[in-house]
Amino acid sequence: MKKAKVVFISTPALGNLVPTIEFAKDLTQTNQNFSATILLISIPQRPLVQSYNDFLAAAAATGNVHFLSLPTADPPSLDQFDATIGFLSLLIQNHTSQVKDALVNLISDSGSGQVVGFFIDMFCTPFIDAAKELNIPCYLYFASPATFLSFMCHLPTLDAQVSINTEFKDSATHFNILGFSNPVPVNIFPSFMLNRKIDGYSWFLHHARRYKETKGIVVNTFQELEPYCLNSLVKAAADVVPPVYPIGPVLDHNGPAQWHQDLWGHENVMKWLDNQDPSSVVFLSFGSMGSLNISQVKEIAKGLEKSGHPFLWAIREAPKDKRELPNDYTNLEEILPYGFLEATKGRGLICGLVPQVTILAHKAIGGFVSHCGWNSILESLYYGVPIGTWPIYAEQHLNAFEMVKELKLAVEITMDYRDGNTLVLSEEVANGVKNLMDGDGEVRQRFKTMSEKCKEVWKENGSSSVFLGQLIDKLLAVI
């Protein structure tokens, strides 16, 4: 069989970049005739992401996966955007010529095979034009759930339903959204939907309108997890949603332990966990981009003390600049209630950013209070750790709604939290932790069953294996 090349590019954010790379590995390992090149966008404003980029570039190649750092483009200035997605979208758009040049070079290197596919992610739609110009089939790699893909595909329709000068919250309390079996409350709409006048909303709408121009969409999910939504997407008109390939869960089982500077003593965290009883510890983490204000941190601390459960809590400080990521706190005494550290000594441990997947895999973890980023949800499912929902930004509120209401696979601690506008009180935190760790046997049983299913999908004739085979056939059909 002839050799073939596939090219990938991702938004320079860990939640997008990591699953893109892991999918490229899965594709090239499944069919050895494929090689993959990952185009990396530099982002000095986010040292955590840049250190991962640097690690990948230094690695040069992993099997048939190669990494290519693109020449740096001018970053947007602060007065060019309102929201983080505005900054990222402009940064990506500024790399258009660099991406086209890289594709031209890969095409001209015919010795390693024909370029049969170019995979962009949800915010890299400017590169669809380069793929068209160079006659390369362009696919969307979607690292969020099928429900959010459905929401995005439905967004142009939703936008047309409501007067341009009206906010969604002023138009209705619920909307019927493609892919959801329940009406979706406006108060759990993604953060970018809260103000239609800022560039965050206009950028999401712009990207959503372009998805239909791709040859197909690969979603990091599996048929058994989101059957209603995936079936809805299949039935949707072709000019709304291209063919969808649910190929997941795609996970990085190593996590950042191999490339992230170990500021918090990962070994000490693991030793502490080793001394805890099986399934006894509740783990609280809000992702690499998640942070909470000090008032909320204090309420969580009081709630954890009241709950009586052992806990491992990753706390991060809000960034000073919209272009940056949160940082680890340097002085915990300043932000925690007086006496909290002493009162919970031995029962709890506070840390900064830790390799989440390694923590979830540990036998001592019995529950996960999560921001409901999709990668985190998939990791929890794979390792069988029940979830308590605490969404913060982006599409996480929709993810929490899906897990609690649509799939009944998670315990609700909060579902409509908006930092600075809402406060989850200590009693709610304590009750939520107790319910997650001790309560709702039905949710735990459903979660356990789905956890078992997510390991079956990659076996021979498993749903994800079958869809990956179909995608490979489509990629090779152009040769």
Side-chain angles (χ1 to χ4, degrees):
M1 185 183 291
K2 292 182 179 179
K3 291 191 175 296
K5 287 186 291 196
V6 283
V7 185
F8 292 81
I9 192 163
S10 163
T11 302
L14 292 181
N16 300 67
L17 190 54
V18 172
T20 297
I21 291 166
E22 294 304 314
F23 176 65
K25 290 179 185 176
D26 288 345
L27 178 61
T28 56
Q29 287 168 5
T30 301
N31 190 311
Q32 298 291 320
N33 294 294
F34 279 103
S35 64
T37 299
I38 314 284
L39 306 180
L40 300 173
I41 295 175
S42 296
I43 185 161
Q45 298 85 355
R46 296 185 169 187
L48 180 66
V49 180
Q50 192 58 43
S51 67
Y52 184 51
N53 270 348
D54 294 343
F55 166 78
L56 295 170
T62 303
N64 283 345
V65 180
H66 309 267
F67 302 98
L68 177 63
S69 294
L70 294 171
T72 305
D74 292 333
S77 59
L78 278 170
D79 60 0
Q80 282 184 274
F81 63 92
D82 302 313
T84 299
I85 186 56
F87 164 67
L88 288 172
S89 294
L90 286 166
L91 179 68
I92 288 165
Q93 187 172 272
N94 290 352
H95 282 80
T96 300
S97 62
Q98 290 91 328
V99 168
K100 185 178 176 182
D101 290 345
L103 290 173
V104 168
N105 290 336
L106 287 165
I107 291 170
S108 63
D109 180 19
S110 57
S112 56
Q114 180 180 334
V115 177
V116 298
F118 180 34
F119 288 81
I120 62 171
D121 84 349
M122 65 175 75
F123 303 128
C124 289
T125 61
F127 307 142
I128 292 173
D129 297 323
K132 285 181 181 177
E133 189 176 337
L134 298 171
N135 200 29
I136 302 172
C138 189
Y139 295 83
L140 177 65
Y141 183 72
F142 203 80
S144 290
T147 44
F148 187 49
L149 170 63
S150 221
F151 189 95
M152 289 290 283
C153 290
H154 190 73
L155 186 55
T157 301
L158 199 60
D159 182 70
Q161 284 178 359
V162 177
S163 168
I164 191 64
N165 296 317
T166 305
E167 297 294 348
F168 288 103
K169 64 182 175 59
D170 298 324
S171 177
T173 57
H174 293 72
F175 285 88
N176 293 316
I177 306 291
L178 174 71
F180 289 83
S181 59
N182 295 288
V184 179
V186 172
N187 65 337
I188 60 98
F189 270 19
S191 304
F192 68 85
M193 302 282 286
L194 301 182
N195 186 346
R196 297 172 78 193
K197 296 179 180 67
I198 67 169
D199 64 357
Y201 177 75
S202 57
W203 270 112
F204 268 94
L205 186 60
H206 169 77
H207 293 306
R209 284 174 171 152
R210 301 214 65 184
Y211 291 173
K212 62 187 178 185
E213 298 176 53
T214 61
K215 300 293 183 184
I217 303 176
V218 177
V219 192
N220 189 11
T221 189
F222 53 101
Q223 180 68 41
E224 291 82 349
L225 178 59
E226 299 186 273
Y228 180 87
C229 182
L230 288 166
N231 292 339
S232 299
L233 289 170
V234 169
K235 294 172 185 174
D239 63 344
V240 175
V241 187
V244 172
Y245 301 87
I247 302 174
V250 172
L251 301 172
D252 175 11
H253 294 280
N254 296 314
Q258 57 187 329
W259 57 267
H260 180 239
Q261 186 181 359
D262 191 9
L263 297 176
W264 280 86
H266 176 58
E267 285 188 13
N268 292 333
V269 172
M270 299 309 288
K271 284 178 183 175
W272 184 83
L273 286 173
D274 289 342
N275 291 322
Q276 307 304 313
D277 292 334
S279 302
S280 66
V281 177
V282 59
F283 175 41
L284 299 90
S285 178
F286 302 96
S288 61
M289 293 177 66
S291 61
L292 303 170
N293 63 47
I294 292 177
S295 296
Q296 187 61 75
V297 168
K298 291 182 185 295
E299 290 298 318
I300 291 175
K302 294 173 188 173
L304 287 173
E305 189 173 351
K306 290 175 184 175
S307 78
H309 281 280
F311 63 86
L312 175 64
W313 182 13
I315 304 182
R316 311 206 75 211
E317 181 180 19
K320 308 283 190 296
D321 184 317
K322 287 180 289 188
R323 296 171 297 188
E324 298 174 359
L325 292 178
N327 297 301
D328 294 340
Y329 278 103
T330 53
N331 189 341
L332 293 172
E333 296 279 3
E334 290 182 354
I335 61 164
L336 294 168
Y338 178 76
F340 172 76
L341 291 174
E342 186 62 32
T344 58
K345 191 174 182 179
R347 179 166 69 82
L349 186 64
I350 292 178
C351 58
L353 187 68
V354 286
Q356 180 176 285
V357 71
T358 315
I359 304 295
L360 290 171
H362 198 284
K363 67 181 189 309
I365 302 297
F368 181 25
V369 177
S370 172
H371 62 302
C372 296
W374 191 240
N375 291 322
S376 296
I377 287 173
L378 292 178
E379 289 167 3
S380 274
L381 273 168
Y382 188 89
Y383 289 104
V385 181
I387 296 169
T389 62
W390 196 310
I392 299 178
Y393 60 91
E395 89 286 6
Q396 294 165 6
H397 302 85
L398 273 181
N399 295 351
F401 178 78
E402 178 182 24
M403 290 295 288
V404 172
K405 300 297 185 184
E406 296 274 304
L407 305 180
K408 296 179 171 54
L409 287 174
V411 171
E412 179 182 353
I413 295 179
T414 178
M415 206 146 58
D416 58 357
Y417 176 81
R418 307 282 178 178
D419 197 30
N421 297 318
T422 50
L423 188 68
V424 182
L425 299 176
S426 60
E427 284 295 338
E428 298 173 83
V429 175
N431 291 336
V433 168
K434 288 175 183 176
N435 194 21
L436 174 62
M437 300 299 287
D438 305 327
D440 212 325
E442 285 187 28
V443 170
R444 278 185 168 264
Q445 187 53 51
R446 275 194 295 270
F447 193 90
K448 181 181 178 183
T449 300
M450 190 59 69
S451 177
E452 292 164 355
K453 287 181 180 178
C454 90
K455 297 181 181 70
E456 300 290 321
V457 296
W458 282 115
K459 294 181 178 178
E460 188 176 0
N461 297 322
S463 62
S464 293
S465 289
V466 170
F467 278 110
L468 180 57
Q470 291 175 6
L471 176 66
I472 287 171
D473 289 343
K474 186 171 181 178
L475 289 167
L476 294 175
V478 302
I479 297 179

